[in-house]
Amino acid sequence: MIWDVAEIQKPRKKDLHLDTPYNTDDAIEARGVRKIYKGLGGEPDKLALKGIDLSVPKGAIFGLLGPNGAGKSTFINILAGLVVKTEGTATVWGFDIDKNPRQARASIGVVPQELAVDFFFSPAESLEIQAGLYGVPKAERRTLDILRALGLEDKAGAYARTLSGGMKRRLLVAKAMVHNPPVLILDEPTAGVDIELRRQLWDYVVELNKQGVTVVLTTHYLEEAEALCDSIAIINHGEVVACEPTPQLLSRIDEKTLIIRPQTEISNIPDSLSELSLDLRADGQLAVHYSPSTMDMDTLLARLNDAGIRIADLTTEQSDLEDIFLQLTYSAEDRA
Ligand code: ADP
């Protein structure tokens, strides 16, 4: 095992003088975090975060979702010590980012959005440099272990420019892990990465998580958040509009689709069903979209039966996060 959970969760010796309690169950805790970017040269100020309250439990794979400009990067950059918040409090692994900035920063590894790898250094050299920046003593560096964990061992001495896109992405994850942070943040990690490489990257992320690393990923790819994350927070216009375990979030949507295979082929949708939302699909199946809160399944089936449709088979289609996302962001805009 490369990242020993016990080791990750233990404060390092040099951190033991801390005045911050180490007993929180949350890897990240934010309370009322606001950010106003001051407008330059007559530009108006920009309220990027309106007061974020968020808790990311230790051990989670947590999705931070939201459209472009929602405030995701601002939030993670505040946690990583790269952007100064205007108001509020935040802790990373129990360390207050204002009172214990060094320890808070040491607890977090950020995999940046862009594929910026050092052109002239081999992966091993890049990791050594990064470890140096974080003040990891030579004796504690685990360059080859990290490269092995990310499937880059045989590229340790290669020129960075010879790495494929997927390898570069993994090298960025490796760099974020050199100081053994218990929290790993991936900022839009799959933007511009093809599906195969995305899958590979997820496998590594899941593996790191199994070894005890808390993972936060920001994305606007909903399907990945849905597949990977235990909990999801949705941010829109600098506000958290939802934060729930993934299954709970999925169950909130008030739109379901019932797929029916009729016993005999239907050429037209019967007039008596015209006020229902129906599609006749090319494969002969009938898709019925309905809101469970206003129509129960019994009523729906009775209506179909009355219209002379005999059912050979039926399934329901899961609503996905895309729908929830639209619903939630729409209602947030409505409120504004
Ligand atoms: P996301 O990561 O969700 O796309 P960002 O955190 O990058 O969102 O941006 C949130 C809002 O803050 C956007 O309106 C963006 O234009 C604005 N913003 C981000 N960085 C700056 C900056 N350095 N100066 C001024 N405004 C900024």
Side-chain angles (χ1 to χ4, degrees), residues 37 46 48 67-74:
Y37 288 106
K46 171 80 205 174
N68 281 331
K72 305 180 296 293
S73 299
T74 299

Side-chain angles (χ1 to χ4, degrees), residues 11 13 27 32 53 56 85 92 108 116 122 138 152 158 167-168 196 200 205 234 247 274 295 322:
K13 264 191 226 123
D53 291 322
V56 176
K85 63 182 162 49
V92 179
I108 217 165
S122 68
K138 279 225 156 66
L152 290 169
M167 289 172 183
K168 284 180 186 150
E196 177 77 5
Q200 265 182 27
V205 167
I234 296 180
S274 61
M295 169 143 350
E322 187 88 42

Side-chain angles (χ1 to χ4, degrees), residues 125-164:
E125 287 165 341
S126 287
L127 260 55
E128 286 291 320
I129 292 166
Q130 185 81 359
L133 290 176
Y134 273 94
V136 181
K138 279 225 156 66
E140 288 178 25
R141 294 186 193 169
R142 299 158 309 121
T143 298
L144 282 180
D145 286 345
I146 297 172
L147 288 174
R148 192 176 309 124
L150 286 152
L152 290 169
E153 195 183 12
D154 58 346
K155 293 284 176 186
Y159 284 113
R161 66 169 178 270
T162 66
L163 303 182
S164 70

